[in-house]
Structure formats: C-alpha cells, structure tokens
Amino acid sequence: MPTTKKESFGKLSDGRETSVYTLRNTKGNELKVTDYGARIVSMRFRDKNFDNKFLLKSYPDASGYENDSESGIVYVDGDAKKFAQIIWNGETFTEGVRFTAEVDGTRAEVVYSLSNDNEISIKYKATGASDISTQLVFSADALPDSE
C-alpha cells in the first residue's frame, strides 16, 4: 500500500507556511503535491534501467511557484488566479491526499493518489463552477529519446 508523508515546503514571500505531501508506492515511485495552489510539484518514476526520472518542471520549495503561471496550476472555470495563490486545506487518507478550498462562493476539491501499479489519479469536484482542471508542464529531460 502506498504511503503519504507531510513535510514543510517553506514560506511564501508574505510569510505563509506551506506543506508538501509525498505519496510513495511500494516500487519507490513518488508523487509530490503541495497545499499551495493544490498543485503537483514533482513526479519521480524509475525507468527500465531503474534510473530516477523526474517528469515535471519543479522548484525546491513553494516560493518558486509564486511567480510560475504554468506548473501544476488548478483552473476553476478557466481562472487560475483565484485558487493558485491560496493555501488549500490538505488531509491525507488511505488512498492519497485531498485538498479543499473555497473562494467567492466557489468550493473546489482535488484528490491525488498514486497506486502500486504506478497509476496517478486526479479527481476534481467543484460547487459553483462549471469546469475544473490542471495544467502540467513536463520536463524535457523526462521525454523519451527520439532515436
């Protein structure tokens, strides 16, 4: 069964504390998500040679995401600004991490999980919104060679 660990992810420029949640499966693969914007900040998987591959553009702490308008942003009704700059309520449960937030009467929920079969699940729910999604920016180093 995958494990989940919560750690500090540093402070933002305004002094707010952030957390990062690491989901790790029995194969040693990891998915990291932060409560700052409820975004995915790292995906580490092993390739066929058991070398670690980091699949997403990432920063070492939350401050790197303050001015990043692309990486792992959760869009609600096409607007990233409302939910990207807030700290969501995060809670771990058996399958992963659930983030919830409410802004201007719109309530959003994002659930991330990682299975032992290396399946990443992202589930969205929003009340007072017609659309919710995430944009991921993959690292060029993680792309397969074109040989």
Side-chain angles (χ1 to χ4, degrees):
M1 175 170 281
T3 61
T4 305
K5 180 172 71 171
K6 179 182 176 182
E7 300 173 286
S8 172
F9 198 44
K11 290 183 180 182
L12 300 172
S13 59
D14 63 7
R16 289 181 291 165
E17 292 279 344
T18 62
S19 298
V20 66
Y21 297 80
T22 303
L23 289 69
R24 179 178 290 146
N25 67 16
T26 56
K27 295 177 181 168
N29 296 321
E30 290 182 347
L31 176 68
K32 291 187 176 190
V33 294
T34 182
D35 56 5
Y36 180 59
R39 65 182 84 203
I40 296 175
V41 296
S42 178
M43 293 169 57
R44 186 196 76 194
F45 286 85
R46 295 181 184 188
D47 66 12
K48 63 184 177 184
N49 299 319
F50 297 98
D51 293 326
N52 288 323
K53 294 291 183 183
F54 291 89
L55 305 179
L56 296 177
K57 172 184 164 186
S58 62
Y59 301 99
D61 59 35
S63 65
Y65 293 93
E66 286 188 273
N67 297 314
D68 187 332
S69 61
E70 295 180 338
S71 298
I73 300 286
V74 174
Y75 290 87
V76 179
D77 284 339
D79 184 2
K81 293 177 187 169
K82 283 186 186 179
F83 287 88
Q85 303 297 323
I86 64 170
I87 297 182
W88 293 51
N89 297 314
E91 67 174 302
T92 61
F93 65 105
T94 309
E95 290 85 26
V97 179
R98 176 181 293 109
F99 293 108
T100 57
E102 187 168 344
V103 176
D104 298 334
T106 300
R107 180 171 164 72
E109 177 180 288
V110 182
V111 177
Y112 295 104
S113 60
L114 172 64
S115 77
N116 284 327
D117 293 325
N118 295 328
E119 296 170 334
I120 295 172
S121 172
I122 307 171
K123 296 179 183 176
Y124 305 98
K125 184 167 36 171
T127 305
S130 60
D131 182 53
I132 183 170
S133 62
T134 298
Q135 173 179 309
L136 300 177
V137 178
F138 288 89
S139 167
D141 296 336
L143 299 175
D145 294 331
S146 60
E147 297 175 11

